[in-house]
């Protein structure tokens, strides 16, 4: 997927964003029709977010999300 059509200020696929409807943080995985697809840090089911509700994640939120992902990776069997 590409970054085309992503909201201004929101990173494309791979970046973190906040769903302003409920405050959930997710990694942008792409688009699903007009919606932005987000996946929670550390895994879980993706959800659709309308583009007008997607907000850029602050540096602190991004740091917490990355730590969550790293901790989750450390718990997986190898």
């Amino acid at each position: 997927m590409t970054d085309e059509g992503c909201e201004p200020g929101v990173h494309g696929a791979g970046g973190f964003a906040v769903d302003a409807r409920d405050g959930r943080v997710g990694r942008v995985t792409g688009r699903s029709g007009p919606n932005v697809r987000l996946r929670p840090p550390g895994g879980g089911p993706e959800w659709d977010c309308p583009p007008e509700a997607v907000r850029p994640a602050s540096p602190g939120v991004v740091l917490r999300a990355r730590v969550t992902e790293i901790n989750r990776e450390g718990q997986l069997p190898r």
Side-chain angles (χ1 to χ4, degrees):
M1 302 216 162
T2 68
D3 297 351
E4 285 181 32
C6 285
E7 293 303 294
V10 175
H11 295 289
F16 287 100
V18 177
D19 184 339
R21 298 173 300 174
D22 57 12
R24 287 185 292 173
V25 176
R27 188 176 284 277
V28 177
T29 60
R31 305 282 299 205
S32 177
N35 294 320
V36 177
R37 297 282 295 165
L38 300 170
R39 177 180 298 273
E46 292 183 353
W47 76 94
D48 289 335
C49 182
E52 62 274 6
V54 176
R55 302 288 179 262
S58 70
V61 168
V62 170
L63 179 60
R64 283 189 295 277
R66 287 183 176 159
V67 168
T68 299
E69 288 182 338
I70 290 168
N71 286 339
R72 174 73 175 143
E73 288 172 11
Q75 295 174 359
L76 297 176
R78 295 184 184 230

